[in-house]
Amino acid sequence: MAERPPPKRREWSWRSQAFRGLIYQIAAIGLVVFGVWYLAHNTLANMQARGIQSGFDFLAQSAGFDIGETVIPYDALDPYWKAFLVGVMNTLRVAIIGIIVATLFGAALGIGRFSHNALVRGFCYGYVELFRNIPVLLQLLMWYLTFTELLPPLSEALSVGGLFWLSKGGFAFPVPVWGLAQAFAGIGAIAGLVVALFYRRWATRQFELTGRARSLILLPIGFVLAGLVLGWVAGGAPTDWSIPERGIFTMEGGAAATPEFMGVLFGLVFYTSAFIAEVVRAGIQSVSQGQAEAASSIGLSKGQSMRLVILPQALRVIIPPITSQYLNLTKNSSLAVAIGYPDVVSIANTSLNQTGRAVECIAIIMLVYLTTSLSTSAFMNWYNARAAIRER
């Protein structure tokens, strides 16, 4: 039996490259920590010398201002921390919805660039060149002015069947009255989504083994819808809806998307989807033409070839740059303050003006965007690792 070689001993000497590297890293970390401490100490000293209060104790004080659009219940007497929470949730609402819609729209445009129909191909090309070359702030202002100036007033609101209303006050639509059934429906939809994910993995493996293609879109959607319906039935199948009705000054009942929210969402979606379309187009073009020819030779249609052969290989090129677009969309949402949407930047500006805690408010903004960006990057890195092509 062969003897194991003796373990290598770490050489704690300046001649060791590993030892020198460790020392350099410790020195670099020390310099960074010292720099942060120096800046913080210097800032606090200058603020104290000028009689400027500092600290985050103001977060427990009553905010004293209203917020026009909230996801959770909020009152002017609530503390500042709850006002910031409302701003963060408003930011996340725009970012999450914008990422989903921009991804679907941008992917469709990117695939449309390869259409054999000249009109479709030309429309996709024109869309990309138009919206990616107009600054995003101008697009936010354009959509906001469209919703507030070109749409009719509330007294002349456009209506579809008395259920959907569109006016300068925003877009009002009916929503189900929330209850136990809606909670069960949400749980059922999540369960259906889990089943759909497992089914897609199984269907993909079966396709690789047998070459038989199964539904990877319609059937998974059916699983989610089935779970939603079963949860709704388990909760008693209520049919109560809150229907919007036109009041004297505002729409009463239902739910509504304000012009500010729609302006931010439309501007970010149209701007970001143009870049996503180019990312998708470049990813598809990176796949060898021989792959499409091989897929055609075994009888796959163009749609199946794109869905089952081209796009899975293009993902390794698409995911990294599309992650940057997701981060840009989230950070560009800070421009919403220009049209009055109460995101976290708007709430921080109001709090700063009332309390004078500039450093603290700016630090909260930085922490929010740093957290959302790192969370998005971590999720997309995980997905990129899952989607990477593995050699056999």
Side-chain angles (χ1 to χ4, degrees):
M1 184 175 179
E3 295 183 359
R4 294 182 179 179
K8 292 184 178 180
R9 295 182 178 179
R10 186 180 297 273
E11 185 179 355
W12 299 102
S13 149
W14 191 255
R15 292 174 297 179
S16 171
Q17 183 177 0
F19 177 75
R20 292 198 305 271
L22 179 62
I23 295 299
Y24 292 150
Q25 292 179 38
I26 294 175
I29 294 174
L31 288 175
V32 171
V33 171
F34 174 77
V36 172
W37 172 84
Y38 176 77
L39 291 175
H41 175 75
N42 194 42
T43 301
L44 292 175
N46 289 331
M47 292 174 64
Q48 291 177 357
R50 291 167 175 78
I52 301 176
Q53 294 182 342
S54 61
F56 291 92
D57 57 304
F58 76 98
L59 292 175
Q61 302 173 5
S62 176
F65 60 88
D66 290 319
I67 300 177
E69 191 167 349
T70 63
V71 179
I72 60 176
Y74 171 81
D75 185 81
L77 298 178
D78 288 330
Y80 278 102
W81 69 262
K82 193 169 185 180
F84 275 101
L85 179 61
V86 171
V88 171
M89 296 188 71
N90 284 341
T91 297
L92 292 178
R93 180 171 64 153
V94 168
I96 293 173
I97 297 176
I99 286 173
I100 295 173
V101 178
T103 300
L104 297 175
F105 198 20
L109 290 167
I111 296 173
R113 292 289 300 272
F114 297 92
S115 173
H116 293 288
N117 188 312
L119 291 178
V120 173
R121 192 169 61 250
F123 169 79
C124 295
Y125 175 78
Y127 175 95
V128 170
E129 293 302 320
L130 174 65
F131 285 100
R132 75 170 179 170
N133 289 305
I134 299 177
V136 62
L137 179 59
L138 294 182
Q139 295 193 41
L140 298 184
L141 295 173
M142 177 191 71
W143 286 110
Y144 178 68
L145 292 176
T146 298
F147 292 131
T148 57
E149 299 296 333
L150 299 183
L151 292 179
L154 181 63
S155 58
E156 303 174 3
L158 304 176
S159 175
V160 178
L163 300 177
F164 301 92
W165 300 80
L166 183 63
S167 66
K168 290 183 178 181
F171 175 63
F173 51 92
V175 293
V177 178
W178 181 260
L180 185 61
Q182 282 69 35
F184 282 170
I187 296 173
I190 294 174
L193 179 61
V194 173
V195 173
L197 293 175
F198 278 104
Y199 166 78
R200 281 181 60 92
R201 294 182 62 180
W202 174 81
T204 302
R205 291 197 192 99
Q206 291 299 310
F207 173 74
E208 294 174 351
L209 293 174
T210 65
R212 180 184 174 187
R214 290 175 171 82
S215 175
L216 294 178
I217 298 179
L218 295 180
L219 196 55
I221 292 176
F223 286 136
V224 176
L225 294 178
L228 189 148
V229 172
L230 289 176
W232 174 69
V233 171
T239 57
D240 296 333
W241 286 74
S242 177
I243 307 298
E245 297 180 357
R246 183 169 54 190
I248 300 177
F249 300 106
T250 60
M251 297 297 300
E252 300 176 355
T258 64
E260 292 79 12
F261 172 75
M262 292 192 297
V264 175
L265 183 63
F266 276 55
L268 293 177
V269 165
F270 277 72
Y271 180 76
T272 308
S273 61
F275 288 91
I276 291 178
E278 282 296 276
V279 171
V280 173
R281 179 194 62 80
I284 293 174
Q285 280 190 333
S286 69
V287 180
S288 172
Q289 181 64 25
Q291 297 292 315
E293 296 173 354
S296 177
S297 68
I298 62 175
L300 295 182
S301 65
K302 291 183 179 179
Q304 291 176 327
S305 173
M306 179 63 70
R307 187 176 73 251
L308 301 173
V309 178
I310 306 301
L311 284 180
Q313 297 183 67
L315 278 178
R316 58 182 178 178
V317 179
I318 291 175
I319 293 176
I322 213 173
T323 301
S324 298
Q325 297 306 321
Y326 291 165
L327 300 180
N328 288 338
L329 186 149
T330 303
K331 290 182 288 187
N332 286 336
S333 66
S334 62
L335 298 174
V337 67
I339 60 176
Y341 180 70
D343 69 331
V344 66
V345 176
S346 176
I347 301 300
N349 286 339
T350 304
S351 302
L352 187 155
N353 292 330
Q354 292 189 173
T355 63
R357 307 291 177 90
V359 175
E360 291 81 357
C361 291
I362 294 175
I364 292 174
I365 297 175
M366 294 173 61
L367 179 63
V368 168
Y369 284 105
L370 179 63
T371 303
T372 54
S373 296
L374 292 178
S375 300
T376 303
S377 297
F379 174 78
M380 292 304 296
N381 289 337
W382 169 82
Y383 181 69
N384 187 34
R386 292 290 303 271
I389 297 177
R390 296 173 174 83
E391 299 291 340
R392 296 184 178 180

